[in-house]
Amino acid sequence: MSHGIAEAAALFAAGAAAGTINAVVGSGTLITFPTLLAFGYSPVTANVSNTVGLVPGVISGIHGYRRELKGQRARLVLLGTGSMLGGLTGAILLLTLPAGAFKAIVPALIALALVLVVAQPSLAAWVARRQAARNGRGESGENENGESSKGSELGEPDDRTNAAGGPLLWTLVFGSGVYGGYFGAAQGVLLLGLLGIAFTDSLQRINAAKNVLAALVNGVASVIFIAVSHIAWSATALIAAGSILGGQLGARIGRKLPPTALRFVIVCVGIVALVSLLA
């Protein structure tokens, strides 16, 4: 499918915005998915193309947060298996269920994602208070820079990193992976909440771990989609290019962007998508 200049610019800009938002908190799909729908792609094609297109941006965000990943290798290896299996399950569900099922389910998923986006500040504040209380009891093991005082490299995890949350957290991460492989909007918000409740790390370290787990989900799902589904490659390439730029912006300056403004844009776009799907 060929694109006019305006359409190509819109897809690139949507990818950049989604990449920025994904690096900071998640929910970038609520920008790119409606954009693809607006240009006439079917819901399933838009979903799989969007998932594939955003993977490079998530990887870009991981690179930008590489300092915060130090000391988290053991944790991410364990939880990453849950994310990968969940992403695989979600992708298979998307491709095996009738297309009409996705079209019927996705408005509810978008509504859930919007609720999560709106609730995210309260959730983040609660997680921060919980972490502050733990840190006050000397349980964090981090220095003033938010880094582990016991193991500063990926190959030297400390006791806190080895405590990967237990079977319950693994199961919940698997569940978020199923959701992410099937649709994925606000997957990052779910992961931030789960990891923030389970661990005492700084929010930036938790966000870095979230980016890795989300990348595993989207990466596994993308492999399945590329192998057996129809991808709108020209649109995917434009979103991918924009998301790479956005991932770097999100990692470098995204923390300084007004979160209320970002949240307002996400909610507005999500509402437009919800209305268009229900019309």
Side-chain angles (χ1 to χ4, degrees):
M1 180 177 180
S2 60
H3 301 284
I5 294 177
E7 181 176 341
L11 289 169
F12 179 86
T20 301
I21 293 167
N22 280 340
V24 177
V25 63
S27 309
T29 288
L30 288 177
I31 301 293
T32 45
F33 179 72
T35 302
L36 288 166
L37 291 180
F39 287 118
Y41 294 95
S42 70
V44 172
T45 299
N47 189 41
V48 298
S49 300
N50 171 72
T51 297
V52 175
L54 289 181
V55 168
V58 178
I59 295 173
S60 177
I62 291 172
H63 181 265
Y65 272 94
R66 61 193 180 280
R67 179 173 62 85
E68 286 85 355
L69 287 170
K70 290 180 179 179
Q72 298 200 69
R73 174 178 289 174
R75 169 187 298 170
L76 292 173
V77 167
L78 181 59
L79 294 179
T81 60
S83 289
M84 293 178 69
L85 289 173
L88 176 63
T89 303
I92 292 173
L93 287 174
L94 177 67
L95 296 177
T96 55
L97 292 176
F102 178 79
K103 190 171 183 179
I105 293 170
V106 77
L109 297 180
I110 290 177
L112 172 62
L114 292 177
V115 169
L116 289 170
V117 169
V118 172
Q120 193 273 334
S122 297
L123 178 61
W126 180 81
V127 169
R129 289 194 299 269
R130 180 177 178 276
Q131 291 172 331
R134 283 188 173 184
N135 292 344
R137 296 194 299 270
E139 297 177 10
S140 170
E142 292 181 357
N143 60 26
E144 63 273 15
N145 295 320
E147 298 175 344
S148 168
S149 60
K150 298 181 181 180
S152 59
E153 300 298 331
L154 283 171
E156 299 176 7
D158 58 24
D159 292 339
R160 174 172 47 80
T161 301
N162 283 326
L168 177 59
L169 179 63
W170 191 96
T171 301
L172 293 172
V173 168
F174 168 80
S176 71
V178 174
Y179 172 77
Y182 189 82
F183 182 54
Q187 174 192 190
V189 178
L190 281 172
L191 286 170
L192 279 175
L194 293 174
L195 299 179
I197 291 169
F199 303 123
T200 60
D201 301 63
S202 69
L203 287 175
Q204 294 301 335
R205 280 173 58 82
I206 288 173
N207 194 44
K210 175 268 293 181
N211 286 340
V212 173
L213 297 180
L216 291 173
V217 171
N218 291 348
V220 168
S222 293
V223 170
I224 301 299
F225 295 154
I226 291 170
V228 301
S229 185
H230 170 68
I231 307 294
W233 281 112
S234 56
T236 298
L238 289 166
I239 288 174
S243 71
I244 292 172
L245 173 62
Q248 289 300 302
L249 290 174
R252 294 182 181 182
I253 67 172
R255 304 180 183 108
K256 302 177 183 179
L257 295 175
T260 302
L262 282 175
R263 197 167 296 108
F264 178 77
V265 171
I266 294 170
V267 170
C268 287
V269 173
I271 290 174
V272 170
L274 190 59
V275 170
S276 66
L277 287 170
L278 293 175

